[in-house]
Amino acid sequence: MTYDGLRPIGPVGLSEAARSVWAKHDRDSDGWLPLWRHMADSAGVAGLLWDEWVPEQIRRLVAGALPGGADDARRLAVWLAATHDAGKATPAFACQVEHLADGMRAAGLPMPLEKQIADRRLAPHGLAGQLLIQRWLVERHGWSRPATTQFAVVAGGHHGVPPEDTDIRDLREHPALLCDPDGPEAWRAVQDELLDAAAEACGVASRLADWRGVKLPQPVQVLLTALVIIADWIASNPELFPYFPGERRTDPERLDTAWRMLDLPRPWVAEDTGEDPGALFASRFDLPAGARVHPVQAEAVRVARTMPRPGLMIVEAPMGEGKTEAALAAAEILAARSGAGGCFVALPTMATGNAMFPRLLAWLERLPDARAGAGAHSVFLAHSKAALNERFTELVRAGRPVSDVDRDGEEHRRSRGAAGSAAAELVAHHWLKGRKKGMLSSFAVGTIDQLLFAGLKSRHLALRHLAVAGKVVVVDEAHAYDAYMNSYLDRVLSWLGAYGVPVVVLSATLPAARRRELAESYTGGPAGPAFAPVGEADAYPLITGVAADGVVMAAPEASGRRTDVLVERFDDDLGALAARLETELAGGGCALVIRNTVRRVMETADHLREHFGADGIPVTVAHARFIDPDRAENDARLLALFGPEAKVAEAGETRPERHVVVASQVAEQSLDVDFDLLVTDLAPVDLLLQRMGRLHRHRRGEGRSQRPERLRRARCLVTGADWAARVPEPVRGSRAVYGAHALLRSAAVLEPFLAESDRPVRLPDDISPLVQRAYGPDPVGPDHWREALDHARLAHEAERADKRKRAEDFLLGGVARPGRALVGWVRAGVGDADDTYAGRAQVRDSRESLEVLVVQRRADGTLATLPWLRRDGGRELPAHAVPPTALARTVASCGMRLPYEMCADPRTLDRVIEELEAQCVEAWQAKEAHWLAGELVLALDQDQRAHLAGFDLHYTRSDGLKVSHGD
């Protein structure tokens, strides 16, 4: 690896004083690194990152801001990396290691002892470097001081937080921290000498005059800051760049050895092969024999190719239209057009993220790369429990370092092992891991939180922006987010639009007003008349392509699958429900009952089982209050029994003759299951339509001949409300979850269908009209509902305004005008954004809850894993030692969130935590117990029961966790 013929920063030509300035010190070995060497290392790494790792999409954005284009962009990136630690050439920094400071004093740089330098905390070396660079640009290159800040702030922010105005003012008022008053000229001479050397070595000395009038856009400042952070982290790794003494390699040898050891996967270079949609989908996805590309999928490909420029694409289509595959195919084309080097798919939950991960991998294994010899692509599963995902851990093993390089540059390769063909091409790279670096991988699947964190004022926010700025971003289930989360999503979209990131938004049911909000956020604000159709179109399915210079809209046909659903009011009475199900399923059939709360799921299942008896209709439950392995098996079981015929056959199962599944919202989306009859609590209309999508989802014989005769017409019974009241009254639990406004407007738009027994809801034709009416501004429902609807609307608007106001507390500002420096960019932020429950609560308006790891306490007092687990079930757990790694991992996988009722009151929550901590196994808190340290463990007795903070808990494999108040 070379410096492109430019003179490297080195000791030759530098004064003794400049050579004596130190940058790194290891207290254990007393090894150290001179500043000139770290400057050279950082510059070299930045150049290689720019050439081989930064996606073209980012390089184009930076180049577009500079008069010399691509050449200027590279020079600027390398120079900023070279100079980021200039602030270490100051008394405030150098005094920290006395014997190294003595060497600098001997070379002519006077400085007091560390204890003699008051207010040293005012001069962190990043901020000091920013001020030194600014002074150098003003005094030696004739810049105006305001023009310098937009460049120098990169040095000021390279530790994750750009400085604030008060920080800059305070340091300016203490000049002795930058130049010792006994020898200011000597210090300034060395500072200028190092900065001059960097400018010459990086080829910017001749360009600074042309850059004086540049107004650097904030997105460019952010990306350059992130690049410098990464270059600094790599160049600061002593395993890659050893400290003195003993280092004798030349600059190119040192850089080349480190780069080969790091072995960073290069970005994807997408290529639009030009295939017609049929051929494209056949080559990328596992399509059933004889399957045709859906019109929505074909149109998504066409729009991706014909949009004026890559921008925002919103795909609205009913369930079962293959929106995910459409998004990935569009992403491939948009990446080829934009220069994106990867893709991130954001989903509502960890469960949906885990389900998507293997689908993304299957797509990647078939994805072409235009770069010859592209090698492995880096992959990341972005959520807090990724380490428990088996497929991801395989890729982690594949991504461990594959070569050892000795000090003489000789390379000794190890085999990656027999991890399969996928592991040879897809790896979770050893350096690209953790909450700050993982998302920098080329391809990622994760929760929506990972995207929303890009709108949260937090430390190292620039890295999160770099992670998404080089990708195509896919946002699935866009309708699933409330006003609080949408505040973050909208702000992130405004930054993605400024970066030129292609975004694909997927939704089955999206209100037109929300569609327009998404488009306006992406393009930077309210647009002109050309954007009017975005908020007015009522076609369905609908594809909307939006860029700053125009809109493309397409209304493809839905696929041939259509379902007419008869809807019926049904009393909220468990006895009546049991009798009705017995009647409806007398000739066979499978029914799905969806409740809005887990408590109602439990009560319903208990009553139905008692009614049907042990030999009657089987009743199973599905909800979120299971430990993670059980919930995953429940989902797999639902697919094996009620999924597509091919899936049922693959699982070696047959569809039950009669069965009732009682579920919470987990059955609402992402599971491709099919039922003959649906009973559902009243819910917002978009969610009701999602639930109806589980009715007659698959063909099941010509004319539905394989369904019981009585159930060949799809029917949905809507319950969970007092329909006899003058205005329907939803049950309390539903009001707590969704609010009265959405529930009443849902009931209002469904009223014509509920009132006429033979008027069906036609899917998909009625989806968009119902959603637009329910979420639109016009009055709905009978006149005598008006007062109740108005009251609910006012409460809803107040709550929505409150959510948006609370979201503002840590919400990142919008994109400022070009030339406005990043000073104060994350002022009053949250510190580190962490993918923990508390961290996710910063971007979700979620009720506080608590996760526990569930084990069993046997009669003799010993602890064991739960007996029914497929892996390590019933294994004894040591009480005085850290469990073996595999066993500890099994325990860590058995996470479960306690219900809200146990955590709502702060005093109750404190008591829960106190009692769980009292049961803590001290040995499991050891540092080496990384799977278990810091976790709360709930130990159930032999009967799977526990008493905690006044609550009785009972967990069963069949029903999950039941909670009741104790005596």
Side-chain angles (χ1 to χ4, degrees), residues 77-275:
V78 173
W79 174 67
L80 290 172
T83 58
H84 78 278
D85 266 353
K88 292 182 175 179
T90 59
F93 178 86
C95 68
Q96 295 178 91
V97 179
E98 184 56 29
H99 72 278
L100 295 177
D102 272 345
M104 293 174 64
R105 293 185 187 105
L109 293 172
M111 74 185 90
L113 299 174
E114 181 179 8
K115 63 184 178 182
Q116 296 174 325
I117 301 181
D119 297 320
R120 200 174 62 80
R121 60 179 179 78
L122 297 176
H125 72 266
L127 176 57
Q130 174 178 326
L131 296 192
L132 294 186
I133 293 169
Q134 289 186 260
R135 179 188 62 75
W136 178 80
L137 287 170
V138 170
E139 294 180 0
R140 297 178 72 83
H141 294 277
W143 286 42
S144 67
R145 186 171 297 279
T148 65
T149 312
Q150 57 185 328
F151 289 83
V153 74
V154 172
H158 83 268
H159 277 285
V161 179
E164 298 182 20
D165 290 314
T166 54
D167 301 325
I168 297 171
R169 184 193 63 231
D170 289 346
L171 183 51
R172 288 193 189 281
E173 292 174 354
H174 293 76
L177 296 171
L178 302 179
C179 294
D180 185 78
D182 294 332
E185 295 307 319
W187 278 100
R188 288 199 173 194
V190 164
Q191 292 161 357
D192 288 345
E193 185 180 356
L194 289 169
L195 289 171
D196 287 343
E200 288 294 334
C202 300
V204 305
S206 62
R207 301 298 305 142
L208 290 173
D210 289 338
W211 292 354
R212 275 184 299 200
V214 167
K215 293 188 181 299
L216 211 59
Q218 278 197 331
V220 171
Q221 297 177 49
V222 173
L223 298 178
L224 289 170
T225 301
L227 183 65
V228 167
I229 290 171
I230 294 170
D232 181 32
W233 284 357
I234 295 172
S236 298
N237 185 335
E239 293 182 3
L240 299 176
F241 293 92
Y243 290 177
F244 287 16
E247 176 62 10
R248 294 291 181 267
R249 289 175 295 187
T250 64
D251 289 300
E253 291 171 339
R254 179 177 169 90
L255 182 61
D256 178 69
T257 298
W259 191 251
R260 285 187 288 127
M261 289 178 67
L262 186 62
D263 194 29
L264 271 182
R266 301 168 79 183
W268 171 45
V269 178
E271 178 182 18
D272 182 0
T273 59
E275 297 171 281

Side-chain angles (χ1 to χ4, degrees), residues 8-89:
I9 305 167
V12 177
L14 290 179
S15 67
E16 181 185 358
R19 294 198 305 273
S20 73
V21 179
W22 67 276
K24 303 282 182 183
H25 176 251
D26 179 13
R27 295 185 183 277
D28 294 331
S29 67
D30 203 31
W32 71 289
L33 206 63
L35 180 55
W36 66 262
R37 167 57 76 190
H38 184 55
M39 293 171 72
D41 292 341
S42 301
V45 170
L48 288 169
L49 288 170
W50 185 267
D51 294 339
E52 301 193 24
W53 183 77
V54 173
E56 179 63 22
Q57 183 164 282
I58 290 174
R59 296 201 301 268
R60 289 178 187 171
L61 183 69
V62 179
L66 296 164
D71 182 64
D72 268 4
R74 186 186 191 278
R75 289 171 187 261
L76 177 58
V78 173
W79 174 67
L80 290 172
T83 58
H84 78 278
D85 266 353
K88 292 182 175 179

Side-chain angles (χ1 to χ4, degrees), residues 42 110 228 245 277 287 410 471 509 515 529 605 790 827 851 886 905 950:
S42 301
V228 167
L287 300 180
E410 293 296 323
K471 296 181 174 68
T509 49
R515 183 195 308 135
D790 287 344
R827 180 184 294 113
E851 185 174 67
D905 184 283

